[in-house]
Structure formats: C-alpha cells, structure tokens
Amino acid sequence: QKGFRWTFHEQLCSLIHPFLQQMFVGNFSMETLCFILDQCFIFLDIPNSQFMPYCLTTWMLLHRRKLMNCNTVESVMDTLSNSADLTVEQFQKEIRTKFLSNIVEGTSIEVPTEEGKEESENYSLISRGTIEETKSHQKSKKEN
C-alpha cells in the first residue's frame, strides 16, 4: 500500500511534468525564463548540486497566495501557467534567502557575497566565473 508521502509525490510529479516537458517556455517572461534555464545549465556543471527542485519550490512559493485559493487541479494548473508576472528579482530573492545555502551544500562552490549590489545588477546566483574561480582555488590548494 502506498503511503501518503508517496501518493503526494506522485501527484506533484504529474502536476509539474507538463511544465518540465516544455521547459517552462510560454509560462514565464523571456527574462525570467532565461534566468531559470541559465541557472539550471550552470548547476549541471557542479557535482552534487541540484537546482531544479529549489526552482520548482520557489515557483510555487511565489504563487502561494493564489494556490491556497485553488480548489481543483485545473485551477492549480491555470495558476502555475500564468507566471508571466514573476520576475528574476523575485526568484533571486526567494532562492538566496531560503535555498542558496542548501543548493551549494555538499559542493565545492563558494558563493561570493556581493554587498552593496542591487539584485538586478547580479543576474545569476552562480556564474560560470564563480565555478572557474573555485576550481582554480582548489587546484592551487592541492598544489601547495
């Protein structure tokens, strides 16, 4: 017999699957879509990291007030489909404050702190430069 947790996981996967199949194209503004895909591809290069679960959770958190009023699966799908108003800054803020330490935990990535910068100035959470700097730093530590 399947437990509640398994059933919930199965239902959540079936709900999100159509969005993942189309890689969110048509659901977000172009800028937000590019940010999400950019971060997904960057995190693919980082061993032991997972970005997508946190991205999906952030997406739902940003819709939490609307989702709380949904009474049917169709209304949930409609709410999630209408994400064009979500911004890069909203995703960045939620991910940085709630999940970034979890995302990089267990990886070799050191997240630079950029105090004094506006969120819009810092487009990516992690950049390819950060990955390369960390690899270079680790290599020099091994050599010494």
Side-chain angles (χ1 to χ4, degrees), residues 65-77 79:
R65 288 191 180 96
K66 294 176 187 175
L67 289 172
M68 294 300 288
N69 294 320
C70 293
N71 295 318
T72 64
V73 172
E74 290 78 19
S75 62
V76 170
M77 294 292 282
T79 298

Side-chain angles (χ1 to χ4, degrees), residues 75 105 118:
S75 62
E105 184 179 325
E118 293 294 320

Side-chain angles (χ1 to χ4, degrees), residues 16-30:
I16 293 173
H17 185 74
F19 296 103
L20 293 176
Q21 270 188 314
Q22 58 186 343
M23 295 183 67
F24 303 110
V25 173
N27 299 107
F28 295 101
S29 69
M30 184 58 73

